Amino acid sequence: MKAVAFYLIYPILWIISRLPFPIVYLISDFFYFITYYILGYRKEVIKSNIRIAFPKKNEKEITRLAKKSTQHFCDIFIEMIKSMGMSKKSMKKRFICTNPEMVNVLAKAKKPLIVMFGHQASYEWTMVLDDVLDYKVYAIYKPLKNKRLNDLIVNIRKKFNSELVAMREATAVMNKSVQTEAALFALVADQSPKAGRAQYFTNFFNVPSAVFKGAERIAKEHHTAVFFLRITKVKRGYYETEFVNITSNGGETKDWEITDTFFQLLEEQIIKQPEYYLWSHKRWKSTLENTKRAVELSPRVQQ
């Protein structure tokens, strides 16, 4: 049944990917109307998250942000589809990196690198960076249950020759690659573990938040450089990115330094453009009360 649905929808996606951007965004606007006003997709989750992150905002402001965030979510989805039919030249014009030389100098020295970013602005179009970096790029991702849809998205994301690695295989691949090649590992690092797996907690918007520390663990073990990728939305369909150094050598950092710095930088970025963050995912579903493991607290929580 899933295969039939995929083959029915694929021609529509192909057509959309060939349409000019003005029409593509009209389609996105239509999806937004259905998503927010008809389906009410995760509307209360979005508003609840915004209330937690911005307790001083009134309900009018929260509703405004919820609408804009949902509209941006629809744009991200339609832009991913549109990228199927976009040339490299067009994508590089719309997704600009201001300082690729900052990490390329490390590639020349054959130093492995971890790049961390969040669900902010255009996390899907980060694949464009593969074409301006001198590294072999491994993108860590979470596979979808629908195999055909997952394969389609993987092929879209591999457009610039990065290699996609499933989250469950990430640690093994990273451990092997940092010893054999100059590789860059790109991962969306603000994922929230389920209550059954939640163990590490840091402060995110002044709330104890469950996080993963895998990137920090690898960086410390292999003395890997770590960068934060700041992604700013300039206007609809145009983004600008900047690499921000977290550490040149993870092995020389204190415990929690990498993870805490990442979440601090991400929080600062979100505050500047809160409407472009993915508030629909349940960021605070795991708490200190419902976790089933022995908890380790970041110094930011203990302060």
Side-chain angles (χ1 to χ4, degrees), residues 237-252:
Y238 289 86
Y239 303 88
E240 188 174 280
T241 64
E242 175 189 10
F243 287 101
V244 180
N245 182 271
I246 293 179
T247 178
S248 298
N249 187 338
E252 297 177 353

Side-chain angles (χ1 to χ4, degrees), residues 125-141:
W125 276 6
T126 53
M127 61 182 175
V128 178
L129 297 178
D130 300 2
D131 204 53
V132 299
L133 298 177
D134 296 333
Y135 273 101
K136 166 64 177 176
V137 177
Y138 292 89
I140 312 302
Y141 80 109

Side-chain angles (χ1 to χ4, degrees), residues 4-236:
V4 174
F6 173 79
Y7 288 120
L8 287 175
I9 197 173
Y10 180 79
I12 299 174
L13 301 181
W14 188 91
I15 291 172
I16 291 174
S17 73
R18 268 65 183 178
L19 294 174
F21 267 100
I23 296 178
V24 165
Y25 283 125
L26 284 176
I27 295 172
S28 181
D29 289 339
F30 173 74
F31 284 160
Y32 159 66
F33 179 82
I34 298 297
T35 301
Y36 188 85
Y37 291 101
I38 306 300
L39 301 177
Y41 175 72
R42 295 201 172 187
K43 185 185 295 186
E44 291 309 313
V45 172
I46 295 170
K47 288 185 176 182
S48 175
N49 284 338
I50 295 173
R51 289 189 193 100
I52 292 171
F54 301 99
K56 294 184 180 180
K57 291 190 180 296
N58 58 43
E59 285 302 307
K60 184 177 180 180
E61 292 175 310
I62 289 168
T63 298
R64 181 185 66 82
L65 282 178
K67 290 179 179 179
K68 284 184 170 293
S69 179
T70 303
Q71 185 172 43
H72 175 68
F73 169 76
C74 293
D75 279 359
I76 290 294
F77 176 74
I78 206 76
E79 285 170 1
M80 181 180 66
I81 295 171
K82 175 62 179 170
S83 64
M84 292 169 57
M86 292 176 66
S87 67
K88 287 186 178 182
K89 181 179 179 180
S90 177
M91 292 196 72
K92 289 168 68 175
K93 179 181 177 182
R94 290 173 172 272
F95 196 91
I96 297 172
C97 181
T98 60
N99 61 345
E101 70 283 350
M102 194 170 186
V103 296
N104 281 338
V105 68
L106 297 176
K108 291 178 181 178
K110 303 298 181 183
K111 292 185 177 180
L113 175 65
I114 294 174
V115 175
M116 305 169 73
F117 54 100
H119 286 89
Q120 176 75 8
S122 182
Y123 44 90
E124 289 290 350
W125 276 6
T126 53
M127 61 182 175
V128 178
L129 297 178
D130 300 2
D131 204 53
V132 299
L133 298 177
D134 296 333
Y135 273 101
K136 166 64 177 176
V137 177
Y138 292 89
I140 312 302
Y141 80 109
K142 184 177 181 180
L144 300 176
K145 293 181 180 179
N146 187 313
K147 185 180 184 305
R148 288 174 177 79
L149 182 58
N150 182 75
D151 290 345
L152 172 63
I153 292 176
V154 166
N155 288 332
I156 292 173
R157 291 174 177 172
K158 289 172 65 176
K159 188 168 185 174
F160 288 81
N161 300 318
S162 61
E163 184 170 332
L164 271 76
V165 178
M167 288 182 67
R168 62 180 176 273
E169 303 167 357
T171 300
V173 172
M174 291 171 76
N175 280 328
K176 180 180 178 180
S177 296
V178 294
Q179 300 178 45
T180 59
E181 62 183 342
L184 183 154
F185 300 93
L187 65 156
V188 182
D190 60 341
Q191 303 278 5
S192 178
K194 297 179 180 179
R197 297 186 61 195
Q199 181 177 3
Y200 306 105
F201 284 79
T202 188
N203 262 0
F204 188 49
F205 285 98
N206 294 315
V207 179
S209 306
V211 299
F212 291 104
K213 286 184 69 181
E216 176 173 328
R217 185 177 65 254
I218 296 293
K220 291 175 75 69
E221 181 179 350
H222 297 286
H223 298 264
T224 305
V226 182
F227 278 75
F228 171 72
L229 184 65
R230 180 181 289 130
I231 310 171
T232 303
K233 187 169 185 175
V234 179
K235 60 181 180 179
R236 204 174 198 184

